[in-house]
Amino acid sequence: MKVAQVLHMNGGIGETSYANNSILQKKVLSLTKEMRDEAIKNLCCITFPKRLGIADLGCSSGPNTLFVISEVIKLVEKLCKEQNHESPEYQVFLNDLPGNDFNNIFKSLDKFKEKLNDEFEGGNGPACFFNGVPSSFYGRIFPTKSLHFIHSSYSLQWLSQVPKGVENNKGNIYMANTSPENVLKAYYEQFQRDFSLFLKCRAEELVERGRMVLTILGRKSDHKYSKECCYIWELLAVALNEMVLEGIIMEEQMDTFNIPQYTPSPSEVRLEVLREGSFTIDCLEVTTVHWNAYDDFNDIDFESDDLSKPFIDGAYNVTNCMRAVAEPLLASHFGEAIIEEVFGRYLEILADRMSKEKTEFINVSISMTKKV
């Protein structure tokens, strides 16, 4: 599997599109607002350049794509006004892999600019120039020292490739408690290589003392196969294995499919930043969000006799969210014909599990400054 060619979220604006199933990602963005704001304030304490370069890496498409950009611009404008500085021109880079639905983004830019202008007195907002950058961020994608602020959310858990040497991960599609030790090691080493390269490239592209804020789907536990990061994929593997037993999917197909993702712990993220050496760590946080981001299930009584409807609805939301993310990978490997069947089964499995236990995603967020 050539990840850069097949990895992308479902495009368009249909029922299973990422645009209509990314409320969870929006919720994560709201959890990291304070970290982003602090990074921008610290940046503006040092410099108010005439041109401010901003990049959002793994931007995808949909309502979240321009959300952070809007928040950053409004905050910088507020700081400029408070400190009596002239507004900079904003050069915005939106990056994702070539399969991303960039057309949907470009179609939304005029409406975005109109809405942004309405936020300012007289309807005169700052000058903003947008650029789409279809390329893997595991390599150089911007000119040297051209950026002041880099943001990425829920993208860096994706690896540049499926790790080599995981052929014996039979019956699994990701790291699991039944995965052989060499599989866990291969996944971690691929993450180390990828993240180190990412940091090196971004350090070359940022100005001195430029800021970078990253949020990665991760885990709290030191165990790589921890349920808190692997369970969502284990349940999808259950659906796929059922279809293998029924002869719908070939066993060989199942045994050769592995998700190109690694969900790091905070200590693993910190270690790679320190080891690479280009950045100082300003803040490192862990947050959680329920699988079903439409509801706060923290107060649900799991001993109740009537839990079916909220968890069926919740499972439907989670299924669509995961389908928006995983469908292109599955369709590329197994074919389009199995998609409806596998996600129908996945829905039933999720409804059952979510009715019996609390399910959360773990987010590892880090704010960094490029060293002088």
Side-chain angles (χ1 to χ4, degrees):
M1 179 194 299
K2 294 184 177 180
V3 171
Q5 295 179 9
V6 299
L7 177 60
H8 59 85
M9 308 299 104
N10 276 348
I13 54 174
E15 183 181 357
T16 61
S17 68
Y18 183 82
N20 284 327
N21 293 282
S22 53
I23 188 69
L24 182 141
Q25 290 85 346
K26 178 69 173 288
K27 197 165 187 176
V28 173
L29 290 175
S30 70
L31 293 173
T32 55
K33 175 177 169 54
E34 186 175 340
M35 180 182 286
R36 288 194 307 275
D37 287 357
E38 191 66 23
I40 293 297
K41 289 175 183 177
N42 289 336
L43 176 66
C44 290
C45 284
I46 298 168
T47 181
F48 272 102
K50 291 184 177 180
R51 181 199 62 83
L52 190 69
I54 307 168
D56 192 5
L57 309 184
C59 64
S60 193
S61 64
N64 297 342
T65 299
L66 298 168
F67 174 76
V68 169
I69 301 301
S70 174
E71 294 293 299
V72 169
I73 291 172
K74 286 187 285 187
L75 178 56
V76 173
E77 289 299 301
K78 178 174 179 287
L79 295 170
C80 285
K81 188 174 182 180
E82 290 174 354
Q83 300 181 37
N84 200 29
H85 280 282
E86 185 178 348
S87 295
E89 292 183 341
Y90 297 91
Q91 187 167 19
V92 179
F93 297 96
L94 302 172
N95 158 259
D96 213 313
L97 292 172
N100 184 53
D101 189 358
F102 281 100
N103 283 339
N104 192 33
I105 299 174
F106 298 145
K107 288 176 183 177
S108 70
L109 284 179
D110 285 344
K111 187 175 181 180
F112 169 80
K113 289 178 181 179
E114 289 176 11
K115 186 176 180 181
L116 183 65
N117 285 336
D118 289 342
E119 299 275 349
F120 297 94
E121 187 176 345
N124 295 316
C128 302
F129 304 94
F130 290 86
N131 306 266
V133 186
S135 184
S136 169
F137 50 48
Y138 293 122
R140 284 290 305 274
I141 48 178
F142 305 111
T144 302
K145 295 184 178 180
S146 61
L147 299 176
H148 299 84
F149 180 68
I150 294 174
H151 175 264
S152 181
S153 183
Y154 265 38
S155 296
L156 276 158
Q157 68 270 11
W158 293 107
L159 301 172
S160 64
Q161 63 180 53
V162 175
K164 294 180 180 178
V166 297
E167 294 82 6
N168 59 335
N169 195 31
K170 298 186 184 301
N172 301 310
I173 62 172
Y174 186 51
M175 296 182 295
N177 58 6
T178 57
S179 295
E181 186 61 35
N182 72 286
V183 171
L184 305 178
K185 185 172 183 286
Y187 266 98
Y188 178 48
E189 289 178 349
Q190 186 65 50
F191 164 75
Q192 289 179 301
R193 287 190 294 271
D194 284 349
F195 192 45
S196 179
L197 177 59
F198 175 89
L199 294 170
K200 180 178 182 294
C201 292
R202 303 297 81 81
E204 294 175 15
E205 296 160 353
L206 275 168
V207 301
E208 291 182 354
R209 296 180 181 174
R211 259 57 179 192
M212 182 159 66
V213 175
L214 312 173
T215 297
I216 310 171
L217 185 63
R219 67 183 197 275
K220 296 177 184 177
S221 172
D222 288 331
H223 296 294
K224 295 175 178 60
Y225 55 82
S226 169
K227 188 174 181 179
E228 61 192 14
C229 64
C230 301
Y231 196 38
I232 194 85
W233 294 117
E234 286 183 23
L235 297 182
L236 182 57
V238 170
L240 290 166
N241 278 312
E242 285 180 357
M243 294 171 71
V244 170
L245 290 174
E246 295 174 24
I248 302 170
I249 292 174
M250 294 173 58
E251 187 173 2
E252 181 184 359
Q253 283 183 301
M254 180 65 185
D255 289 342
T256 55
F257 181 72
N258 287 282
I259 297 292
Q261 187 180 97
Y262 185 81
T263 39
S265 67
S267 61
E268 289 172 343
V269 172
R270 180 190 296 274
L271 178 62
E272 291 310 310
V273 173
L274 296 177
R275 182 179 289 163
E276 194 280 329
S278 298
F279 295 89
T280 57
I281 298 174
D282 302 315
C283 184
L284 181 62
E285 295 180 350
V286 174
T287 57
T288 61
V289 61
H290 197 277
W291 282 5
N292 178 23
Y294 289 85
D295 293 299
D296 183 357
F297 282 8
N298 292 332
D299 297 325
I300 285 184
D301 178 8
F302 279 75
E303 301 301 319
S304 170
D305 293 330
D306 186 20
L307 284 173
S308 58
K309 189 178 188 306
F311 286 104
I312 291 172
D313 292 345
Y316 178 79
N317 295 334
V318 178
T319 300
N320 276 350
C321 178
M322 290 298 292
R323 180 169 177 172
V325 170
E327 181 173 347
L329 289 172
L330 290 165
S332 173
H333 186 81
F334 296 102
E336 296 277 356
I338 65 104
I339 296 300
E340 294 298 331
E341 177 73 15
V342 72
F343 282 106
R345 292 172 185 247
Y346 192 42
L347 170 60
E348 293 178 4
I349 294 166
L350 285 171
D352 175 64
R353 299 320 306 164
M354 291 171 66
S355 70
K356 296 173 180 175
E357 52 194 304
K358 292 184 178 180
T359 48
E360 293 179 324
F361 289 117
I362 309 298
N363 316 305
V364 179
S365 299
I366 185 168
S367 179
M368 294 173 278
T369 301
K370 180 187 170 181
K371 293 179 180 178
V372 177

